[in-house]
Amino acid sequence: MNLQQTGILTKADLVEAVRYPSEERMKKGPVAVCECMQNIPCNPCETSCPFQAIHVGENISNLPKLDEQKCTGCTTCIAACSGLALFVVDKSYSDEVGTVSFPYEYQYSFQIGDKVKAANRAGKCVCEGTIKKIVNTKKSDRTTVVTLEIPIDFVDEVRSIYRQR
Ligand code: SF4
Ligand code: SF4
């Protein structure tokens, strides 16, 4: 089953489209992942990045391209992305755990240090994580950026917090 059939991205889709950071880069420190696969007219990722690490270009329907060497993993682009398609992953954190930062636009009551259930791109609970950081500034316009510490094997899969119906 591919993306067109399921509507759910996989790491394999991103790797095939050459849109996933290299393992070498992820092990050096936090780096953005642009999970944006539709040619829509949109470029806040490019204009928000203080390090010019994302390129869309004059035709704003181009897919964004990340320069993984320029990216510092600062997370600024996450809240700027209207498609909630930007994440920051970090596999340099330790041998056992890594982090994923993602946009979160629901009400929440969790705090730093809380244990929560972590969800994959399909919204399924895949592991437990610990809230490490919550950023909610005026500039981010109510898009909270949450950083979750999770087992290292799930860094490529976890993209949110599990929400029970
Ligand atoms: S994480 Fe920071 S440096 Fe990297 S692309 Fe996003 S805004 Fe730019
Ligand atoms: S801002 Fe988000 S949705 Fe828009 S082009 Fe950039 S990554 Fe894609």
Side-chain angles (χ1 to χ4, degrees):
M1 297 277 268
N2 63 27
L3 174 61
Q4 300 306 326
Q5 293 163 310
T6 63
I8 300 166
L9 261 177
T10 63
K11 182 186 172 188
D13 292 323
L14 292 157
V15 170
E16 193 183 321
V18 200
R19 307 193 62 72
Y20 212 80
S22 64
E23 279 297 316
E24 190 191 7
R25 176 62 188 83
M26 286 189 282
K27 285 181 179 150
K28 281 186 184 162
V31 63
V33 186
C34 294
E35 303 201 356
C36 178
M37 300 284 273
Q38 297 282 325
N39 294 86
I40 51 171
C42 181
N43 71 349
C45 49
E46 180 179 57
T47 55
S48 69
C49 177
F51 302 96
Q52 292 79 49
I54 299 183
H55 181 73
V56 175
E58 270 188 40
N59 178 355
I60 63 165
S61 292
N62 288 336
L63 289 179
K65 266 193 190 158
L66 177 81
D67 183 332
E68 63 180 33
Q69 301 310 328
K70 283 187 181 173
C71 176
T72 64
C74 71
T75 75
T76 303
C77 55
I78 295 178
C81 170
S82 43
L84 307 180
L86 274 160
F87 305 86
V88 168
V89 298
D90 185 4
K91 292 188 179 177
S92 71
Y93 200 66
S94 87
D95 289 341
E96 288 83 36
V97 291
T99 65
V100 179
S101 301
F102 49 84
Y104 198 78
E105 294 191 333
Y106 304 106
Q107 286 190 329
Y108 62 88
S109 56
F110 50 72
Q111 297 177 350
I112 290 171
D114 283 356
K115 302 268 185 216
V116 294
K117 290 177 177 177
N120 65 9
R121 294 180 185 87
K124 289 189 180 152
C125 175
V126 287
C127 65
E128 192 176 71
T130 306
I131 304 281
K132 297 304 284 183
K133 201 172 172 186
I134 303 169
V135 178
N136 198 339
T137 62
K138 202 174 174 190
K139 200 177 168 194
S140 67
D141 192 23
R142 287 164 287 174
T143 299
T144 304
V145 176
V146 178
T147 300
L148 203 55
E149 180 188 277
I150 47 171
I152 194 111
D153 289 345
F154 290 97
V155 168
D156 295 326
E157 299 302 320
V158 166
R159 290 296 178 265
S160 193
I161 292 168
Y162 177 67
R163 296 179 72 242
Q164 260 172 324
R165 284 174 191 268

